[in-house]
Amino acid sequence: MKRLIPILVLLIGLSSYAQRDGRVNERIKAQKVAFITEKLSLTAEEAQQFWPIYNAFEEKRESIKSGQLREVKMKIRQNPDMSDSEASKLLEQILNAENEIHNAKMKLAEDLQSVLSPKKIIRLRATEDEFNRELLQHLKKMRERRMNKN
């Protein structure tokens, strides 16, 4: 865990230079793979079966977030004084997207049951949250340092 922290700080610091081509996202993803593998104590066999399933889930979730939900958020920002009818349509789109994400999570849990123990499947969510918390904390620290320099 402690070895991850300096790497995460470095990755976040580099993000302003490399974000356009996705190198930082790739590095963060690599750190996430290492973090989850370590925290769940995945065996080589488990990891070999786990990562294709998990990556398919992540791809589906990101597709929904960067597609449907991003579009809805943009429409809301562009038209904050929308009518109830327009808001109702956007709400339906949000609920549909959230339902798709929920279904993807259900499929993930179902697919992982043949690969991991129930205990490891449950720990996966907490591990994802822990990784995201650490990443956000380091991003916050980097921003604070930048603000203090200026």
Side-chain angles (χ1 to χ4, degrees), residues 57 96 98-108:
F57 161 73
N96 287 337
E98 291 293 335
N99 191 44
E100 282 188 51
I101 292 171
H102 172 74
N103 289 339
K105 287 178 183 179
M106 296 293 288
K107 182 176 178 357
L108 173 68

Side-chain angles (χ1 to χ4, degrees), residues 10-76:
L10 174 64
L11 291 175
I12 293 167
L14 293 174
S15 67
S16 62
Y17 299 106
Q19 204 162 25
R20 287 189 187 105
D21 64 4
R23 286 181 290 173
V24 168
N25 288 338
E26 288 174 21
R27 289 180 182 160
I28 290 172
K29 184 176 180 178
Q31 288 300 314
K32 186 175 181 180
V33 167
F35 189 86
I36 290 173
T37 299
E38 180 182 329
K39 288 290 186 174
L40 295 184
S41 302
L42 296 179
T43 66
E45 184 179 323
E46 286 173 332
Q48 185 177 11
Q49 295 175 332
F50 170 82
W51 286 109
I53 295 168
Y54 185 81
N55 289 338
F57 161 73
E58 283 278 286
E59 192 174 302
K60 175 75 173 171
R61 180 171 59 180
E62 286 307 309
S63 171
I64 294 165
K65 285 183 173 183
S66 64
Q68 296 161 289
L69 289 176
R70 187 175 188 198
E71 181 182 320
V72 169
K73 288 177 184 178
M74 188 171 52
K75 287 179 181 177
I76 292 169

